[in-house]
Short mmCIF file of all heavy atoms in Angstrom, two decimals:
data_model
loop_
_atom_site.label_atom_id
_atom_site.label_comp_id
_atom_site.label_asym_id
_atom_site.label_seq_id
_atom_site.Cartn_x
_atom_site.Cartn_y
_atom_site.Cartn_z
N LEU A 228 -18.59 -1.86 -7.88
CA LEU A 228 -19.00 -3.23 -7.63
C LEU A 228 -19.55 -3.45 -6.23
O LEU A 228 -20.28 -4.41 -6.00
CB LEU A 228 -17.81 -4.18 -7.87
CG LEU A 228 -17.39 -4.39 -9.32
CD1 LEU A 228 -16.16 -5.27 -9.38
CD2 LEU A 228 -18.52 -5.02 -10.11
N VAL A 229 -19.21 -2.56 -5.30
CA VAL A 229 -19.69 -2.72 -3.93
C VAL A 229 -20.53 -1.55 -3.47
O VAL A 229 -21.02 -1.55 -2.33
CB VAL A 229 -18.51 -2.92 -2.95
CG1 VAL A 229 -17.70 -4.15 -3.35
CG2 VAL A 229 -17.63 -1.69 -2.89
N LYS A 230 -20.74 -0.57 -4.33
CA LYS A 230 -21.51 0.61 -3.96
C LYS A 230 -22.93 0.21 -3.58
O LYS A 230 -23.58 -0.59 -4.26
CB LYS A 230 -21.52 1.60 -5.13
CG LYS A 230 -22.00 2.99 -4.76
CD LYS A 230 -21.74 3.98 -5.90
CE LYS A 230 -20.25 4.13 -6.14
NZ LYS A 230 -19.97 5.11 -7.23
N GLY A 231 -23.39 0.78 -2.48
CA GLY A 231 -24.71 0.44 -1.98
C GLY A 231 -24.72 -0.72 -1.02
O GLY A 231 -25.72 -0.94 -0.33
N ARG A 232 -23.62 -1.46 -0.95
CA ARG A 232 -23.52 -2.59 -0.04
C ARG A 232 -22.44 -2.39 1.01
O ARG A 232 -22.59 -2.85 2.15
CB ARG A 232 -23.23 -3.88 -0.81
CG ARG A 232 -24.31 -4.24 -1.83
CD ARG A 232 -24.07 -5.62 -2.42
NE ARG A 232 -22.81 -5.68 -3.17
CZ ARG A 232 -21.80 -6.49 -2.88
NH1 ARG A 232 -21.89 -7.33 -1.85
NH2 ARG A 232 -20.69 -6.48 -3.62
N PHE A 233 -21.34 -1.75 0.63
CA PHE A 233 -20.22 -1.55 1.53
C PHE A 233 -20.14 -0.08 1.94
O PHE A 233 -20.37 0.81 1.12
CB PHE A 233 -18.90 -1.93 0.89
CG PHE A 233 -18.71 -3.40 0.62
CD1 PHE A 233 -19.75 -4.31 0.76
CD2 PHE A 233 -17.47 -3.87 0.22
CE1 PHE A 233 -19.56 -5.65 0.52
CE2 PHE A 233 -17.26 -5.21 -0.03
CZ PHE A 233 -18.31 -6.10 0.11
N THR A 234 -19.74 0.17 3.18
CA THR A 234 -19.57 1.52 3.68
C THR A 234 -18.26 1.61 4.46
O THR A 234 -18.02 0.81 5.36
CB THR A 234 -20.74 1.93 4.59
OG1 THR A 234 -21.97 1.81 3.89
CG2 THR A 234 -20.56 3.37 5.06
N ILE A 235 -17.46 2.61 4.12
CA ILE A 235 -16.22 2.85 4.84
C ILE A 235 -16.44 3.97 5.85
O ILE A 235 -17.17 4.93 5.58
CB ILE A 235 -15.06 3.18 3.88
CG1 ILE A 235 -13.73 3.24 4.62
CG2 ILE A 235 -15.33 4.47 3.11
CD1 ILE A 235 -12.52 3.35 3.71
N SER A 236 -15.81 3.85 7.00
CA SER A 236 -15.87 4.89 8.01
C SER A 236 -14.59 4.85 8.83
O SER A 236 -13.83 3.90 8.74
CB SER A 236 -17.10 4.72 8.92
OG SER A 236 -17.05 3.49 9.62
N ARG A 237 -14.38 5.89 9.61
CA ARG A 237 -13.20 5.91 10.47
C ARG A 237 -13.53 6.57 11.79
O ARG A 237 -14.40 7.44 11.89
CB ARG A 237 -12.02 6.62 9.79
CG ARG A 237 -12.20 8.13 9.59
CD ARG A 237 -11.11 8.70 8.69
NE ARG A 237 -9.78 8.56 9.27
CZ ARG A 237 -8.65 8.69 8.57
NH1 ARG A 237 -8.70 8.95 7.27
NH2 ARG A 237 -7.48 8.56 9.18
N ASP A 238 -12.82 6.15 12.82
CA ASP A 238 -12.93 6.71 14.14
C ASP A 238 -11.53 7.10 14.55
O ASP A 238 -10.73 6.27 14.97
CB ASP A 238 -13.53 5.69 15.12
CG ASP A 238 -13.81 6.29 16.48
OD1 ASP A 238 -13.18 7.30 16.85
OD2 ASP A 238 -14.67 5.74 17.20
N ASN A 239 -11.23 8.38 14.41
CA ASN A 239 -9.87 8.85 14.69
C ASN A 239 -9.50 8.71 16.17
O ASN A 239 -8.33 8.51 16.49
CB ASN A 239 -9.71 10.30 14.24
CG ASN A 239 -9.71 10.44 12.73
OD1 ASN A 239 -9.37 9.49 12.01
ND2 ASN A 239 -10.07 11.62 12.23
N ALA A 240 -10.47 8.81 17.05
CA ALA A 240 -10.20 8.65 18.47
C ALA A 240 -9.74 7.25 18.80
O ALA A 240 -9.00 7.03 19.76
CB ALA A 240 -11.43 9.01 19.29
N LYS A 241 -10.18 6.28 18.02
CA LYS A 241 -9.79 4.89 18.22
C LYS A 241 -8.71 4.42 17.26
O LYS A 241 -8.33 3.25 17.29
CB LYS A 241 -11.01 3.98 18.08
CG LYS A 241 -12.09 4.21 19.12
CD LYS A 241 -13.24 3.25 18.93
CE LYS A 241 -14.30 3.46 20.00
NZ LYS A 241 -15.46 2.55 19.81
N ASN A 242 -8.24 5.31 16.40
CA ASN A 242 -7.24 4.95 15.40
C ASN A 242 -7.67 3.75 14.58
O ASN A 242 -6.89 2.83 14.34
CB ASN A 242 -5.88 4.68 16.06
CG ASN A 242 -5.18 5.94 16.51
OD1 ASN A 242 -5.67 7.05 16.37
ND2 ASN A 242 -3.99 5.76 17.07
N THR A 243 -8.90 3.77 14.15
CA THR A 243 -9.48 2.61 13.48
C THR A 243 -10.31 3.04 12.28
O THR A 243 -11.03 4.04 12.33
CB THR A 243 -10.36 1.80 14.45
OG1 THR A 243 -9.58 1.40 15.57
CG2 THR A 243 -10.92 0.56 13.77
N VAL A 244 -10.20 2.27 11.21
CA VAL A 244 -11.05 2.43 10.04
C VAL A 244 -11.86 1.15 9.89
O VAL A 244 -11.39 0.05 10.20
CB VAL A 244 -10.21 2.74 8.78
CG1 VAL A 244 -9.27 1.59 8.44
CG2 VAL A 244 -11.12 3.06 7.61
N TYR A 245 -13.09 1.29 9.40
CA TYR A 245 -14.01 0.18 9.30
C TYR A 245 -14.49 0.01 7.87
O TYR A 245 -14.54 0.95 7.08
CB TYR A 245 -15.23 0.41 10.19
CG TYR A 245 -14.91 0.66 11.64
CD1 TYR A 245 -14.83 1.95 12.14
CD2 TYR A 245 -14.69 -0.41 12.50
CE1 TYR A 245 -14.53 2.18 13.47
CE2 TYR A 245 -14.39 -0.19 13.83
CZ TYR A 245 -14.31 1.10 14.31
OH TYR A 245 -14.02 1.31 15.64
N LEU A 246 -14.89 -1.20 7.57
CA LEU A 246 -15.59 -1.49 6.33
C LEU A 246 -16.80 -2.35 6.68
O LEU A 246 -16.65 -3.52 7.03
CB LEU A 246 -14.70 -2.22 5.32
CG LEU A 246 -15.33 -2.46 3.95
CD1 LEU A 246 -15.51 -1.15 3.20
CD2 LEU A 246 -14.48 -3.44 3.13
N GLN A 247 -17.97 -1.74 6.62
CA GLN A 247 -19.20 -2.47 6.84
C GLN A 247 -19.64 -3.08 5.52
O GLN A 247 -19.85 -2.37 4.54
CB GLN A 247 -20.29 -1.53 7.37
CG GLN A 247 -21.63 -2.21 7.61
CD GLN A 247 -21.59 -3.24 8.70
OE1 GLN A 247 -21.05 -2.99 9.77
NE2 GLN A 247 -22.14 -4.42 8.44
N MET A 248 -19.80 -4.39 5.50
CA MET A 248 -20.14 -5.11 4.29
C MET A 248 -21.48 -5.80 4.49
O MET A 248 -21.62 -6.67 5.36
CB MET A 248 -19.07 -6.14 3.94
CG MET A 248 -17.66 -5.54 3.84
SD MET A 248 -16.43 -6.74 3.24
CE MET A 248 -16.47 -7.91 4.61
N ASN A 249 -22.44 -5.41 3.69
CA ASN A 249 -23.78 -5.98 3.74
C ASN A 249 -24.10 -6.67 2.42
O ASN A 249 -23.47 -6.42 1.39
CB ASN A 249 -24.82 -4.90 4.02
CG ASN A 249 -24.62 -4.20 5.34
OD1 ASN A 249 -24.21 -4.82 6.32
ND2 ASN A 249 -24.91 -2.90 5.37
N SER A 250 -25.10 -7.51 2.45
CA SER A 250 -25.56 -8.22 1.25
C SER A 250 -24.40 -8.88 0.52
O SER A 250 -24.24 -8.75 -0.69
CB SER A 250 -26.31 -7.26 0.32
OG SER A 250 -27.42 -6.68 0.96
N LEU A 251 -23.61 -9.59 1.26
CA LEU A 251 -22.40 -10.19 0.70
C LEU A 251 -22.74 -11.25 -0.34
O LEU A 251 -23.72 -11.99 -0.22
CB LEU A 251 -21.56 -10.79 1.80
CG LEU A 251 -20.76 -9.77 2.61
CD1 LEU A 251 -20.31 -10.35 3.94
CD2 LEU A 251 -19.56 -9.27 1.80
N LYS A 252 -21.88 -11.31 -1.36
CA LYS A 252 -22.03 -12.24 -2.46
C LYS A 252 -20.80 -13.14 -2.52
O LYS A 252 -19.72 -12.75 -2.07
CB LYS A 252 -22.16 -11.49 -3.78
CG LYS A 252 -23.29 -10.46 -3.81
CD LYS A 252 -23.25 -9.67 -5.11
CE LYS A 252 -24.35 -8.63 -5.16
NZ LYS A 252 -24.30 -7.85 -6.42
N PRO A 253 -20.94 -14.32 -3.11
CA PRO A 253 -19.76 -15.19 -3.24
C PRO A 253 -18.59 -14.51 -3.95
O PRO A 253 -17.43 -14.78 -3.60
CB PRO A 253 -20.29 -16.37 -4.05
CG PRO A 253 -21.73 -16.45 -3.68
CD PRO A 253 -22.17 -15.01 -3.53
N GLU A 254 -18.86 -13.62 -4.90
CA GLU A 254 -17.79 -12.93 -5.59
C GLU A 254 -17.06 -11.91 -4.73
O GLU A 254 -16.05 -11.35 -5.16
CB GLU A 254 -18.30 -12.27 -6.88
CG GLU A 254 -19.52 -11.39 -6.66
CD GLU A 254 -20.83 -12.09 -6.98
OE1 GLU A 254 -20.99 -13.26 -6.59
OE2 GLU A 254 -21.69 -11.47 -7.64
N ASP A 255 -17.57 -11.65 -3.53
CA ASP A 255 -16.85 -10.80 -2.59
C ASP A 255 -15.75 -11.56 -1.84
O ASP A 255 -14.99 -10.94 -1.09
CB ASP A 255 -17.81 -10.21 -1.56
CG ASP A 255 -18.82 -9.26 -2.18
OD1 ASP A 255 -18.44 -8.46 -3.06
OD2 ASP A 255 -20.00 -9.31 -1.77
N THR A 256 -15.68 -12.85 -2.03
CA THR A 256 -14.66 -13.65 -1.36
C THR A 256 -13.27 -13.19 -1.77
O THR A 256 -12.95 -13.13 -2.96
CB THR A 256 -14.85 -15.13 -1.70
OG1 THR A 256 -16.10 -15.58 -1.16
CG2 THR A 256 -13.73 -15.97 -1.11
N ALA A 257 -12.46 -12.85 -0.80
CA ALA A 257 -11.12 -12.32 -1.05
C ALA A 257 -10.41 -12.08 0.27
O ALA A 257 -11.03 -12.12 1.33
CB ALA A 257 -11.19 -11.01 -1.85
N VAL A 258 -9.13 -11.81 0.18
CA VAL A 258 -8.41 -11.25 1.30
C VAL A 258 -8.57 -9.73 1.24
O VAL A 258 -8.31 -9.12 0.20
CB VAL A 258 -6.92 -11.63 1.28
CG1 VAL A 258 -6.18 -10.96 2.43
CG2 VAL A 258 -6.77 -13.14 1.37
N TYR A 259 -9.00 -9.14 2.33
CA TYR A 259 -9.23 -7.71 2.39
C TYR A 259 -8.10 -7.03 3.14
O TYR A 259 -7.73 -7.46 4.24
CB TYR A 259 -10.57 -7.41 3.07
CG TYR A 259 -11.75 -7.67 2.15
CD1 TYR A 259 -12.12 -8.96 1.82
CD2 TYR A 259 -12.47 -6.61 1.61
CE1 TYR A 259 -13.18 -9.19 0.96
CE2 TYR A 259 -13.54 -6.84 0.77
CZ TYR A 259 -13.89 -8.13 0.44
OH TYR A 259 -14.95 -8.36 -0.41
N TYR A 260 -7.58 -5.98 2.54
CA TYR A 260 -6.46 -5.24 3.10
C TYR A 260 -6.85 -3.79 3.38
O TYR A 260 -7.54 -3.17 2.56
CB TYR A 260 -5.29 -5.20 2.12
CG TYR A 260 -4.72 -6.55 1.74
CD1 TYR A 260 -5.24 -7.26 0.66
CD2 TYR A 260 -3.67 -7.10 2.46
CE1 TYR A 260 -4.72 -8.49 0.31
CE2 TYR A 260 -3.15 -8.33 2.11
CZ TYR A 260 -3.67 -9.02 1.03
OH TYR A 260 -3.15 -10.24 0.68
N CYS A 261 -6.40 -3.28 4.48
CA CYS A 261 -6.48 -1.84 4.68
C CYS A 261 -5.14 -1.23 4.36
O CYS A 261 -4.10 -1.89 4.43
CB CYS A 261 -6.94 -1.46 6.10
SG CYS A 261 -5.81 -1.90 7.43
N ALA A 262 -5.16 0.05 4.00
CA ALA A 262 -3.95 0.73 3.58
C ALA A 262 -4.02 2.19 3.98
O ALA A 262 -5.11 2.76 4.10
CB ALA A 262 -3.77 0.61 2.06
N ALA A 263 -2.86 2.79 4.17
CA ALA A 263 -2.74 4.18 4.56
C ALA A 263 -1.86 4.93 3.57
O ALA A 263 -0.82 4.42 3.15
CB ALA A 263 -2.17 4.31 5.97
N GLY A 264 -2.27 6.14 3.24
CA GLY A 264 -1.50 7.00 2.37
C GLY A 264 -1.45 8.41 2.91
O GLY A 264 -2.34 8.85 3.64
N SER A 265 -0.41 9.15 2.54
CA SER A 265 -0.20 10.50 3.07
C SER A 265 -0.16 11.57 2.00
O SER A 265 -0.01 12.74 2.35
CB SER A 265 1.09 10.55 3.88
OG SER A 265 2.21 10.19 3.09
N THR A 266 -0.29 11.22 0.73
CA THR A 266 -0.16 12.19 -0.33
C THR A 266 -1.48 12.54 -1.00
O THR A 266 -1.89 13.69 -1.00
CB THR A 266 0.85 11.71 -1.39
OG1 THR A 266 0.46 10.42 -1.88
CG2 THR A 266 2.24 11.61 -0.79
N VAL A 267 -2.12 11.55 -1.59
CA VAL A 267 -3.38 11.78 -2.29
C VAL A 267 -4.36 10.66 -1.97
O VAL A 267 -3.96 9.53 -1.67
CB VAL A 267 -3.19 11.87 -3.82
CG1 VAL A 267 -2.34 13.08 -4.19
CG2 VAL A 267 -2.56 10.59 -4.36
N LEU A 268 -5.62 10.98 -2.06
CA LEU A 268 -6.69 10.00 -1.92
C LEU A 268 -6.96 9.42 -3.30
O LEU A 268 -7.33 10.15 -4.22
CB LEU A 268 -7.93 10.66 -1.34
CG LEU A 268 -9.15 9.78 -1.11
CD1 LEU A 268 -8.87 8.76 -0.02
CD2 LEU A 268 -10.37 10.63 -0.75
N GLY A 269 -6.77 8.12 -3.44
CA GLY A 269 -6.92 7.54 -4.75
C GLY A 269 -7.34 6.09 -4.74
O GLY A 269 -7.44 5.46 -3.68
N ARG A 270 -7.59 5.58 -5.93
CA ARG A 270 -8.02 4.20 -6.13
C ARG A 270 -6.86 3.26 -6.41
O ARG A 270 -7.03 2.04 -6.35
CB ARG A 270 -9.01 4.13 -7.29
CG ARG A 270 -10.29 4.93 -7.08
CD ARG A 270 -11.13 4.92 -8.34
NE ARG A 270 -12.35 5.69 -8.17
CZ ARG A 270 -13.51 5.19 -7.80
NH1 ARG A 270 -13.62 3.88 -7.59
NH2 ARG A 270 -14.57 5.96 -7.66
N SER A 271 -5.72 3.79 -6.73
CA SER A 271 -4.58 2.96 -7.09
C SER A 271 -3.83 2.50 -5.86
O SER A 271 -3.58 3.28 -4.95
CB SER A 271 -3.64 3.73 -8.01
OG SER A 271 -2.44 3.00 -8.23
N PRO A 272 -3.42 1.23 -5.82
CA PRO A 272 -2.57 0.77 -4.71
C PRO A 272 -1.29 1.58 -4.57
O PRO A 272 -0.76 1.69 -3.45
CB PRO A 272 -2.27 -0.69 -5.08
CG PRO A 272 -3.41 -1.10 -5.94
CD PRO A 272 -3.78 0.13 -6.73
N ALA A 273 -0.79 2.15 -5.66
CA ALA A 273 0.44 2.92 -5.62
C ALA A 273 0.31 4.17 -4.77
O ALA A 273 1.33 4.74 -4.37
CB ALA A 273 0.87 3.29 -7.04
N ALA A 274 -0.89 4.62 -4.52
CA ALA A 274 -1.10 5.81 -3.71
C ALA A 274 -0.97 5.54 -2.21
O ALA A 274 -0.98 6.50 -1.43
CB ALA A 274 -2.48 6.41 -3.99
#
Side-chain angles (χ1 to χ4, degrees):
L228 288 176
V229 301
K230 194 170 296 181
R232 300 188 297 119
F233 291 10
T234 303
I235 188 171
S236 62
R237 68 191 297 165
D238 186 337
N239 289 335
K241 297 181 179 179
N242 285 1
T243 302
V244 63
Y245 304 97
L246 185 69
Q247 179 66 47
M248 305 187 295
N249 299 324
S250 301
L251 283 162
K252 305 174 181 179
E254 52 263 44
D255 295 319
T256 296
V258 177
Y259 283 71
Y260 300 89
C261 66
S265 59
T266 55
V267 295
L268 181 66
R270 298 173 181 266
S271 172

